[in-house]
Amino acid sequence: FSLRHSPWAIPVILGLYVGASAVLFPNTLLNVAVILAMGTGLGLVYALGGSLVATAVFYGLGARYGQERLQSLNIRSLDRLSRMLRKGGVPGIAGLRLLPLAPFSVVNLAAGALRVRFWVFMTGTFIGLLPGNLLVTAFGHQFRALLREPGPGGYALMGAILVAGAGWLVCLRRRA
């Protein structure tokens, strides 16, 4: 049985993202697993789609149950997170996704509770998730290519991808 070619792939993967968000499983790790398991083309679509569905679901829960419940989570960076969500607009939300201050689903709940405009939040989330997912997709594609046909050019490209990824992380750390 291959989930990749199953008609159940979309609902299973979307459910996986919502369930993972419910237990605060790191979205980044789930994205890596989905991209590598489903292949670079479909994997990227599933990872972004699943992340956005989980974002919308937990945004809705935050909007429904409000800020009181969010305060009960007792997250130290909640005030900073609230400021970034309220004043950041699309660029601020994208930056927040690049530099996670709180678990993925907590950010989604907070945005809903704080009544951040839905489309602004979704757009910022998409923009913030895209670079990392593209990097994982490039890595996965090149890794598969190296397994099929190892060679010096392939290893050089894999090295370039890894250096780009490391450079990306260093830049993010400095911004944080």
Side-chain angles (χ1 to χ4, degrees):
F1 173 76
S2 170
L3 183 61
R4 182 181 173 138
H5 302 293
S6 169
W8 291 97
I10 292 173
V12 166
I13 289 174
L14 295 181
L16 178 66
Y17 272 87
V18 172
S21 284
V23 297
L24 301 178
F25 187 83
N27 188 69
T28 303
L29 292 179
L30 185 55
N31 286 344
V32 169
V34 167
I35 290 169
L36 294 178
M38 300 301 283
T40 53
L42 278 178
L44 177 62
V45 172
Y46 285 142
L48 288 171
S51 295
L52 291 174
V53 165
T55 296
V57 167
F58 281 82
Y59 176 96
L61 289 171
R64 170 75 173 100
Y65 294 107
Q67 197 169 10
E68 304 82 41
R69 299 246 189 221
L70 190 62
Q71 294 292 344
S72 71
L73 293 175
N74 197 22
I75 297 173
R76 287 182 290 172
S77 59
L78 191 58
D79 291 332
R80 185 172 168 203
L81 174 63
S82 295
R83 281 192 307 277
M84 289 182 76
L85 285 170
R86 284 189 174 138
K87 296 179 183 174
V90 170
I93 292 165
L96 180 61
R97 292 305 193 184
L98 291 169
L99 302 167
L101 297 175
F104 186 77
S105 52
V106 172
V107 173
N108 300 334
L109 289 166
L114 297 168
R115 306 283 191 223
V116 174
R117 287 182 302 183
F118 180 75
W119 290 110
V120 168
F121 185 65
M122 294 299 287
T123 302
T125 295
F126 175 79
I127 292 169
L129 293 176
L130 189 59
N133 284 334
L134 287 173
L135 192 60
V136 170
T137 300
F139 175 82
H141 177 76
Q142 189 56 31
F143 184 71
R144 282 191 177 92
L146 276 175
L147 291 176
R148 281 190 310 270
E149 216 174 297
Y155 287 112
L157 185 53
M158 179 62 87
I161 292 168
L162 292 173
V163 166
W168 178 258
L169 290 174
V170 168
C171 285
L172 290 178
R173 273 198 180 274
R174 286 188 180 160
R175 282 201 75 165

